[in-house]
Amino acid sequence: MHIVVCVKQVPDWDIPPASFKVDEAAKKVVPPPGVAPVPSQFDAIAVEAAMKIKDAVADTKITVMSLGAATARDVIKHGLAMGGDEGVLLVDDAFNDLDSTGTAKVLSSAIKKLGDVDLVLTGRQAVDWDLGVTGTLIAEMLGAPVITFAKSVNVANGNVTVERVLPDAFETVEAPLPAVVTVSNELGEPRYPKLQQIMQAARKQVNQWGAADIGLSKDDLAPRLTLEQLFVPVVDTKVELMEGDSPEDQAMALARRLKEAKLI
Amino acid sequence: MPNGVLILAELVDGELAPITQELVGAAQRLNAGPVSAMLLGSGIEASASKISGVEKVYVVDNPGLAEYTNEAYTEAAAAVAKQADPAIILLGQTNIGRDLGPALAYKLDTAVAMDTIALEMKDGKLHTTRPAYGGNARAVNSFSGTPAVATVRPKSQDTAEGGAAGEVVKVDFTPAGVRAKVIDRKVATAEGVRLEDADVVVTGGRGLGGPEGFEGIEELAHILGGAVGASRAVADLGWRPVAEQVGLTGKVVSPTIYIAVAVSGASQHMAGCSGSKNIVAINKDPDANIFKAARFGIVGDYKQVLPAFIEAVKKVKAEG
Ligand SMILES: Cc1cc2nc3c(=O)[nH]c(=O)nc-3n(C[C@H](O)[C@H](O)[C@H](O)COP(=O)(O)OP(=O)(O)OC[C@H]3O[C@@H](n4cnc5c(N)ncnc54)[C@H](O)[C@@H]3O)c2cc1C
Ligand SMILES: Nc1ncnc2c1ncn2[C@@H]1O[C@H](COP(=O)(O)O)[C@@H](O)[C@H]1O
């Protein structure tokens, strides 16, 4: 079994909403000073899904793949510390400011170059743009089936079986390998690497490929979607806090206020 | 020349899902040519006349579409799109739309803007606005090719009411065998009012300390005739079912009153409830983000405030 997990490096989302800033001219998010980027939340969970398969299926190899800046090596290392075997880092000036189609083209080309891949795992959506399209596009480009929003991923007899999370239902879907699966948080918390694993990960191989290595040029990556504007919406609600000497008084004040406003 | 707007209609138990007429409304307001709908499924042709305010309803009625699968629906929707040749395709950001949107866009050699909340035409081209960065930011996108495909967040658009039913156009299409097959399906049964449709939602967060904390939440929801919601922290901890999760990766609700108890109000949570007309917050932390979006609030420990509020509501309601 060869599993590729696609991990994106994103700005840390776990910051107070007040410190979220956007440079409107550059159409970019400005992370607060000193806050380092992290592996996208669902992508670490996708590595966990791969590790669960590795724990169950002998001879499983996990390749952790990331497209981004040179610093994306850190999120690959994190996946390797969780138990991944090898990394692929995709860096090139031609990869700057790609849209999802371009991103999927780079990732699927790199997966094709690896050759013997049985299963590709991605997050359900990257926590920066919250799109949820790259996994499906990779599947289309590989000509493989896709199963989205996985809560469990099992592999047996050349098939992948996935329990999907839907708002009002659970669904089990089965597909022949090779396949692409996008992973949701219901799969469970990702394992936390131990110090010794972090040290081992430092010695694991990370191959760095540019556009030419995977047979692509800038022209193959022309965006289909253009970002026209990025801004922080203004919320101008003024909260009316209930005063009172006791919780009972406050509670009664709230009930009366809601009644006055004809809400209850 | 591609022209007009094609929307994907959705049914729930044979009736039109609310998103269908929301999409028709959004499509009409774009003023970008004729609006038509596509309806895909098995044994659904009779429902086509329920869609109003559209010129045509393209129907693919085939046993291979009885159950939603990514592959069969993508092929069917692409077949309709090729026949109808629209400039814009709108889907709901629903179970179906969020799975189908990217694949359909790829099949049509174009791009998709996901989870959009506002759409407008600028110089004859579609511009979409969508939340990004967990709801902290808004991104406006334009498309370089046609058709422009967008998924639209439920409840973000006013419903189109009235108007005539469209002319039914049957599209003959049989899907090839699918590779990813549904082998089991369980519907999570919710009791009482459906969360998405409720006029009152009472949501509990991690600050409740455990599943027992939800007794008061359930009681309050019951008294007000509302539904219970949960934050993702609570769903992840297994205190409440995922079906109750409100937020970016849960459900979108827009009740008249949204009461959030011991919920911090993270942007990803607000993404699911910021359309509520009145947010009421009970939280012990005066700086909690939830108070930034709330209209009414109490700063205090829910252990004291919630039982007192339940009694107060009972009393005030009894006064008539
Ligand atoms: C990509 C992504 C998607 C996400 N999607 C969602 C989503 O769909 N829905 C969602 O909800 N979250 C989502 N999240 C998670 C979100 O960021 C928050 O972590 C989550 O909403 C926090 O839940 P909470 O408010 O219950 O818990 P906390 O943030 O832990 O807040 C608990 C609150 O309870 C208060 N409190 C504690 N004790 C008491 C008491 N005794 N009385 C009164 N108040 C008390 C505290 O002051 C605090 O404000 C997502 C995150 C990411 C990264
Ligand atoms: N630059 C990237 N590098 C590696 N994986 C990515 C990248 N962009 C997207 N992905 C994968 O695709 C998933 C969905 O991303 P998106 O479609 O942008 O929401 C992510 O959770 C990742 O697993």
Side-chain angles (χ1 to χ4, degrees), chain A residues 13-14 40-42 124-128 130 185, chain B residues 134 203-209 230-234 236 239 245-251 258 261-272 282-290 298-305:
Chain A
W13 61 85
D14 203 7
S40 183
Q41 186 179 55
F42 302 106
R124 59 173 288 166
Q125 64 200 60
V127 307
D128 47 4
D130 295 316
N185 52 290
Chain B
T203 289
R206 175 155 50 195
L208 294 176
S231 70
R232 184 177 124 188
V234 161
D236 278 354
W239 298 353
Q245 183 182 318
V246 172
L248 182 66
T249 49
K251 290 183 176 159
Y258 187 82
V261 184
V263 172
S264 60
S267 60
Q268 297 89 353
H269 183 80
M270 301 318 292
I282 298 175
N283 197 301
K284 69 173 185 189
D285 174 7
D287 296 326
N289 196 54
I290 189 78
I298 293 181
V299 177
D301 188 335
Y302 90 88
K303 289 197 186 98
Q304 280 116 43
V305 175

Side-chain angles (χ1 to χ4, degrees), chain B residues 37-247:
Chain B
M38 57 177 152
L39 183 61
L40 317 175
S42 177
I44 40 89
E45 201 189 315
S47 302
S49 61
K50 295 180 182 158
I51 307 167
S52 62
V54 296
E55 210 147 284
K56 287 180 183 154
V57 181
Y58 295 89
V59 178
V60 188
D61 198 333
N62 189 284
L65 300 172
E67 212 155 26
Y68 173 80
T69 59
N70 178 281
E71 291 164 86
Y73 271 63
T74 303
E75 296 294 343
V80 173
K82 281 184 186 136
Q83 183 169 334
D85 199 21
I88 295 169
I89 300 178
L90 302 181
L91 321 175
Q93 174 80 1
T94 57
N95 277 347
I96 289 180
R98 62 189 182 159
D99 187 78
L100 180 63
L104 177 62
Y106 185 81
K107 278 280 177 318
L108 299 175
D109 241 343
T110 180
V112 62
M114 299 297 289
D115 201 13
T116 60
I117 55 171
L119 303 120
E120 72 174 315
M121 299 300 287
K122 263 191 191 159
D123 306 326
K125 287 179 87 178
L126 180 66
H127 281 55
T128 57
T129 304
R130 57 182 306 279
Y133 287 85
N136 280 307
R138 296 283 179 274
V140 180
N141 288 108
S142 66
F143 296 76
S144 53
T146 39
V149 182
T151 69
V152 178
R153 182 177 286 199
K155 304 216 160 83
S156 66
Q157 306 296 318
D158 290 331
T159 300
E161 316 247 9
E167 171 204 347
V168 173
V169 181
K170 288 191 218 172
V171 179
D172 196 19
F173 172 83
T174 306
V178 299
R179 292 167 295 178
K181 294 192 177 74
V182 178
I183 55 173
D184 187 28
R185 194 154 208 281
K186 276 188 223 70
V187 177
T189 42
E191 290 161 30
V193 200
R194 256 166 58 99
L195 181 55
E196 306 89 305
D197 305 334
D199 202 39
V200 178
V201 174
V202 187
T203 289
R206 175 155 50 195
L208 294 176
E212 11 7 289
F214 273 86
E215 282 166 22
I217 301 291
E218 282 177 348
E219 188 180 355
L220 184 57
H222 179 73
I223 298 170
L224 296 173
V228 172
S231 70
R232 184 177 124 188
V234 161
D236 278 354
L237 287 162
W239 298 353
R240 300 299 294 188
V242 179
E244 289 180 3
Q245 183 182 318
V246 172

Side-chain angles (χ1 to χ4, degrees), chain A residues 6-8 43 65-67 103 107 122-123 125-126 131-135:
Chain A
C6 299
V7 180
K8 186 175 190 184
D43 302 359
M65 182 177 283
S66 189
L67 156 63
T103 300
L107 293 170
T122 74
Q125 64 200 60
L131 298 172
V133 309
T134 308

